[in-house]
């Protein structure tokens, strides 16, 4: 059984948008995640921080949602996600930091 996804957006101390996700991101809930990504990245000028430090699982649907916005994302990832992000090629497109490095 998957952990439900919760999403919230806020502004960081620098005023830039931050999208916080908690749970698992998969085909069953990726539409909500993609919508939040699109809304957060819509202005096209700010870097959008996507905090996945509380996300334990992503599937290819989540990777596909992140990819179109990758160049303007700073992803803070739970260390268990780092291998998936590397294999997917997202580490070549987006700035990605393990959650322990922040």
């Amino acid at each position: 059984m998957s952990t439900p996804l919760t999403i919230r957006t806020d502004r960081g101390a620098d005023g830039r948008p931050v999208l916080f996700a908690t749970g698992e991101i998969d085909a069953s809930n990726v539409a909500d995640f993609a919508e939040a990504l699109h809304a957060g990245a819509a202005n096209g000028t700010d870097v959008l921080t996507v905090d996945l430090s509380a996300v334990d699982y992503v599937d290819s649907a989540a990777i596909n949602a992140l990819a179109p916005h990758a160049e303007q994302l700073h992803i803070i990832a739970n260390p268990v996600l780092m291998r998936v992000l590397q294999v997917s090629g997202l580490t070549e497109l987006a700035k990605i930091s393990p959650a322990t490095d922040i």
Side-chain angles (χ1 to χ4, degrees):
M1 185 166 127
S2 68
T3 305
L5 175 66
T6 59
I7 302 168
R8 72 178 175 87
T9 56
D10 207 341
R11 294 266 171 195
D14 60 2
R16 292 184 175 173
V18 180
L19 184 148
F20 295 91
T22 303
E24 297 181 1
I25 306 170
D26 58 26
S28 72
N29 57 28
V30 74
D32 293 335
F33 181 66
E35 183 178 322
L37 277 173
H38 182 71
N43 68 14
T45 58
D46 284 338
V47 170
L48 173 62
T49 298
V50 179
D51 188 333
L52 302 179
S53 59
V55 172
D56 299 321
Y57 174 81
V58 295
D59 70 3
S60 61
I63 300 299
N64 288 335
L66 290 164
H69 307 287
E71 292 182 358
Q72 76 182 95
L73 298 181
H74 174 209
I75 301 169
I76 301 169
N78 181 330
V80 301
L81 302 179
M82 291 303 293
R83 183 71 180 140
V84 172
L85 298 173
Q86 290 169 341
V87 169
S88 72
L90 274 177
T91 55
E92 300 296 319
L93 303 172
K95 179 181 178 189
I96 300 177
S97 305
T100 56
D101 287 355
I102 57 169

